[in-house]
Amino acid sequence: MSVRSETELTQEIERLREALSAREREAAENERQLERYAADLRDTFKQERARAQELQRSYTATVSALSNAVEARDAYTGKHAERVAAYGMEIARTVGLPLAEMPELEFGFLLHDIGKVAIPDAILYKPEALTDEERALMQQHPLIGAEIVGRVGFLSGAVEVVRSHHERWDGAGYPDGLAGEDIPLAARVFAVADVLDALTTDRPYRPASTLEVAREMITVESGSQFDPRVVNAFNSLDDQVFQRIAAQIE
Ligand SMILES: [Fe+2]
C-alpha cells in the first residue's frame, strides 16, 4: 500500500467519523424534539381530560337541579330520584350493563318523571282515585318526558329510560305496552330501583317496609312486573349497599 493511499484512507475514515457524529447529533436532536412533542401531547391530553370532567360535572349538576325542581312539586317523595339513581347504578353494574359507565343512564334515572311538569296539580295531588280520563292524562308523563329530554343533545341517551320507566316485564305497563326484552334494559333496571325506594320510604298512607320485606315483595313480582335477571342481580347485592345509599341520600 502506498503512503499516499494510506493518507487518503485516513482522511476517508476521518470524513466518515465526522459524518457519523453529525448524524448522531441530528438523531439526538430529533429525539429531543420528539420528547418535547410527547410532553406537549401529554399536557394537551391532561387539559382536555380536565375540561371533559368539568363539563361532565356541570351536566350532572344541571340534571340534578332539574330533577330536584321536578321533585319539589311532589312533596312526599323527597330525594326519591337521587336514591333511585344510586340504587339503579348499583343494580346496572351487577347486571353487567355497559351502560353503567354512561352518564346518560344516571341522567335517565334522575329525570324519569320530568314529564310530570305537564300534569296539572289537581291530578298530581288528587287524594281520591283518578277518573279514567285523568289516569290517561297522567299516563302521558313518560311520553311528555321523553319529548322534553329528547330535545337536549347530551340527554338523548336518557330518553329510553324516561319513556319506558312504567313498562312491565309482562307487557301490562304503559305507555307502549312493551314486554320482556323489548323493554330497554336500563328501564327494566329502573323499575326495580324505583319500587325498592318506594317501598323502603315512608308514605302518608303507610310506613316504610324493611329491606327484607321489600326484597320479598320485589322477588314475588319477578317474571310479572320485573325482569327476573334484574331481580337476581338486585338480590345478589348486599343489604349494606342499599343501606349506605339510603343513609347518604335522605
Ligand atoms: Fe313515572
Side-chain angles (χ1 to χ4, degrees), residues 68-196:
N68 288 337
V70 173
E71 297 229 313
R73 274 181 86 203
D74 227 344
Y76 70 84
T77 56
K79 294 201 169 170
H80 169 69
E82 269 183 60
R83 277 190 308 269
V84 169
Y87 294 156
M89 294 305 278
E90 291 292 346
I91 300 169
R93 257 175 234 125
T94 311
V95 173
L97 254 186
L99 291 173
E101 309 305 320
M102 292 165 49
E104 294 89 354
L105 180 66
E106 193 174 5
F107 294 162
F109 290 161
L110 283 168
L111 296 175
H112 64 277
D113 266 343
I114 193 168
K116 282 190 180 170
V117 294
I119 307 298
D121 286 0
I123 297 178
L124 201 60
Y125 301 132
K126 190 176 173 185
E128 308 90 51
L130 300 179
T131 65
D132 287 350
E133 203 179 313
E134 288 166 341
R135 185 172 310 105
L137 183 62
M138 184 70 168
Q139 292 190 349
Q140 291 288 304
H141 80 268
L143 293 172
I144 298 164
E147 180 80 8
I148 294 171
V149 163
R151 290 199 200 125
V152 185
F154 78 92
L155 291 176
S156 59
V159 173
E160 56 179 30
V161 176
V162 176
R163 182 176 181 116
S164 301
H165 77 275
H166 282 291
E167 299 291 354
R168 291 172 50 108
W169 182 251
D170 59 12
Y174 62 92
D176 300 305
L178 300 176
E181 295 191 350
D182 285 344
I183 306 166
L185 182 52
R188 286 180 259 150
V189 166
F190 171 86
V192 172
D194 186 38
V195 169
L196 171 65

